[in-house]
């Protein structure tokens, strides 16, 4: 069972915490994690690209010349894809790139990503994560106390916390989410994770 240090917002160690091995100490499946990231990024694609086929390009209603007797190749429309200004062959059209994975696989991918952060000592547990008022200066002070420097940090709270979100949103590379919005891409896309003890309890309740 993995054990991590617990800090306060001033960067002082205040205790230890044992993590659930069914969530934070699983065998890492890189292929599954990759598939989960691809799924998440694919769902974000708009898919609004569009091209015109021969039938959609304006003009070309009249046959340019008669079928036989001219010595030229037969042609039925000046909007043929072989002509300049013609339609596009097999061009992209509006579509959805989204696909889904089974729930067990999605949850296992999150467990793998969390396990990787714990093993690499990039998983910082905070006894309490809250601010009296939304102040960016206070959040930067906390990051410096926890030796995060200018690294990309993912902040995870148990529930939506407006003060934490507003305090961190102007800092480049910092993102605040609640435990219900936990996802593989955000975990892997940030160097460190700041997470509150109550958020860990929520995650273990759902994933264990």
């Amino acid at each position: 069972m993995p054990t991590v240090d617990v800090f306060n917002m001033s960067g002082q160690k205040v205790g230890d915490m044992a993590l659930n091995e069914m969530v934070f100490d699983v065998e890492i499946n890189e292929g599954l994690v990759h598939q989960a990231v691809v799924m998440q990024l694919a769902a974000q694609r708009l898919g609004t690209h569009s091209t015109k086929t021969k039938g959609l390009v304006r003009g070309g209603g009249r046959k340019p010349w008669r079928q036989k007797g001219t010595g030229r190749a037969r042609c039925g429309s000046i909007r043929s894809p072989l002509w300049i200004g013609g339609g596009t062959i097999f061009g992209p059209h509006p579509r959805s790139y989204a696909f889904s994975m089974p729930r067990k696989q999605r949850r296992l991918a999150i467990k793998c990503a969390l396990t990787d952060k714990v093993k690499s000592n990039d998983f910082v547990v905070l006894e309490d994560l809250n601010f009296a008022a939304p102040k960016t200066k206070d959040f930067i002070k906390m990051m410096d106390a926890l030796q995060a420097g200018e690294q990309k940090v993912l902040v995870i709270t148990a529930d939506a916390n407006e003060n934490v979100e507003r305090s961190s949103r102007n800092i480049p590379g910092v993102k605040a989410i609640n435990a219900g919005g936990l996802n593989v891409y955000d975990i892997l896309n940030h160097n460190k994770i700041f997470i509150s003890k109550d958020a860990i309890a929520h995650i273990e309740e759902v994933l264990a």
Side-chain angles (χ1 to χ4, degrees), residues 121-194:
N121 294 321
D122 293 323
F123 193 81
V124 180
V125 180
L126 297 172
E127 185 177 31
D128 185 36
L129 183 54
N130 197 10
F131 295 96
K135 286 189 177 180
T136 303
K137 181 171 63 176
D138 292 343
F139 195 94
I140 294 176
K141 183 178 179 181
M142 182 188 72
M143 287 182 62
D144 292 338
L146 294 169
Q147 300 180 353
E150 297 182 356
Q151 299 183 77
K152 298 176 70 175
V153 175
L154 179 65
V155 184
I156 306 174
T157 55
D159 301 305
N161 190 314
E162 185 178 359
N163 286 347
V164 173
E165 182 179 347
R166 293 177 62 186
S167 297
S168 62
R169 67 185 178 185
N170 288 333
I171 306 174
V174 177
K175 182 176 182 179
I177 62 174
N178 60 66
L182 191 64
N183 61 87
V184 176
Y185 179 77
D186 280 339
I187 295 173
L188 299 181
N189 193 41
H190 292 81
N191 303 113
K192 282 187 175 293
I193 292 179
F194 289 175

Side-chain angles (χ1 to χ4, degrees), residues 69-146:
T70 63
R72 289 178 291 187
R74 55 192 174 188
C75 181
S77 172
I78 62 173
R79 294 297 177 250
S80 165
L82 304 180
W83 285 48
I84 294 176
T88 302
I89 304 174
F90 302 132
H93 295 286
R95 55 165 288 197
S96 171
Y97 287 90
F99 66 94
S100 61
M101 293 172 57
R103 181 188 299 175
K104 287 185 178 180
Q105 289 187 356
R106 295 198 305 268
R107 291 185 172 182
L108 180 57
I110 293 176
K111 294 178 186 179
C112 292
L114 291 172
T115 298
D116 178 67
K117 289 299 181 184
V118 172
K119 289 185 176 180
S120 60
N121 294 321
D122 293 323
F123 193 81
V124 180
V125 180
L126 297 172
E127 185 177 31
D128 185 36
L129 183 54
N130 197 10
F131 295 96
K135 286 189 177 180
T136 303
K137 181 171 63 176
D138 292 343
F139 195 94
I140 294 176
K141 183 178 179 181
M142 182 188 72
M143 287 182 62
D144 292 338
L146 294 169

Side-chain angles (χ1 to χ4, degrees), residues 20 23-24 110-111 114 123 156-158 178-180 182 187 193 195-208:
N20 192 323
V23 178
F24 298 97
I110 293 176
K111 294 178 186 179
L114 291 172
F123 193 81
I156 306 174
T157 55
N178 60 66
L182 191 64
I187 295 173
I193 292 179
I195 185 170
S196 61
K197 291 180 65 175
D198 50 352
I200 291 179
H202 179 83
I203 292 172
E204 290 180 343
E205 182 181 354
V206 175
L207 299 181

